[in-house]
Structures are given as structure tokens and as C-alpha cells.
Amino acid sequence: MDEVTEARAAAVLYAADVGRLQAFYESVCGLEVAESTSDFVTLVSDRWQLTLVAVPERDAATLELSDPPRRRSQTPIKLAFAVASLVDARSAALGAGGVVDGAEWTFNDDVVCDGEDPEGNVVQFRSPRRATER
């Protein structure tokens, strides 16, 4: 029998501009490229695997992307990533074409806030509360 290894949480996100989203998730969430082709890129950390898949050209022509992106909040799914610092995530997001909101709240042992990637997908960012804040 094969040895069982610990699996990562995983998600697949369709993208009009895979390269732009790749840069965002690398710089804001610390993900690294594990595999890349002309059709997709898989980004990983020890806990996450995010595959960005290029929307087929026939479908990409029908997408209405705006600059700045219009937030896609009417979806039942929101990705959530652990980050070391929300302050650093805000700075990295702005540099990569996204945004991390200013409003923060506490959930479990994390300080949490939402934001969006460069295509308007809503993303949640979580940073551990400091021991003195608990």
C-alpha cells in the first residue's frame, strides 16, 4: 500500500489573465509556482494548492472586466488565505493590482479582512492575533 501524505486544501479559479492573478497570489499570499503550462498555473504553499486556469478564448471574449475591477460578491465561494501580516498584505495587494480592505474583525484566533484580486474575486485574509490581544 502507498504511503499516505498530508493533502493540501485546494481550489481552482478560472482567470481571464492567469499571469496577473499568479503575480497577485504569489506576492500577497506567498504561494509559489509548482507547475505551469500555457493553460494553467498551480501555486502552492505547505497548506494550499491554488490552480489558476485560463478561461477559454471563446468565453473570455464575453467577460466584462473593468479597471478597477468590479467586486464579484454575488458568489457562494470565497477563498481564505493565512498571511503573516494584514499590513504587508495590503501593500502587496495594491502593488499587484488588488486590494485588502481596511475593515477588520476577529474570528477564532485570527484578525480577518476581505479584499479582492485583480479580477474582482473576493478573497479573505487571516492573520493570527498577537498573544497580548487574546
Side-chain angles (χ1 to χ4, degrees):
M1 182 176 231
D2 292 334
E3 182 180 325
V4 177
T5 58
E6 191 172 322
R8 295 178 175 109
V12 176
L13 185 61
Y14 288 86
D17 187 339
V18 170
R20 189 168 186 206
L21 288 189
Q22 173 185 338
F24 177 84
Y25 288 103
E26 283 179 310
S27 66
V28 179
C29 302
L31 301 178
E32 297 178 350
V33 175
E35 184 177 1
S36 181
T37 72
S38 60
D39 296 325
F40 73 91
V41 62
T42 298
L43 303 168
V44 299
S45 71
D46 8 341
R47 297 181 185 173
W48 253 101
Q49 175 178 306
L50 177 62
T51 301
L52 304 171
V53 178
V55 173
E57 286 184 33
R58 68 180 184 283
D59 297 330
T62 65
L63 294 177
E64 293 182 29
L65 298 177
S66 60
D67 190 15
R70 185 174 24 92
R71 188 170 284 206
R72 297 178 186 167
S73 57
Q74 299 301 314
T75 178
I77 296 173
K78 181 189 324 182
L79 301 178
F81 291 91
V83 296
S85 161
L86 293 176
V87 171
D88 292 346
R90 279 188 188 88
S91 176
L94 285 175
V99 65
V100 176
D101 299 340
E104 298 177 358
W105 64 95
T106 302
F107 182 76
N108 293 330
D109 286 331
D110 296 325
V111 178
V112 179
C113 65
D114 287 345
E116 64 188 65
D117 70 19
E119 292 193 4
N121 299 302
V122 177
V123 183
Q124 187 171 92
F125 303 95
R126 299 174 175 202
S127 182
R129 280 192 293 167
R130 287 176 252 176
T132 58
E133 296 176 357
R134 291 184 184 168

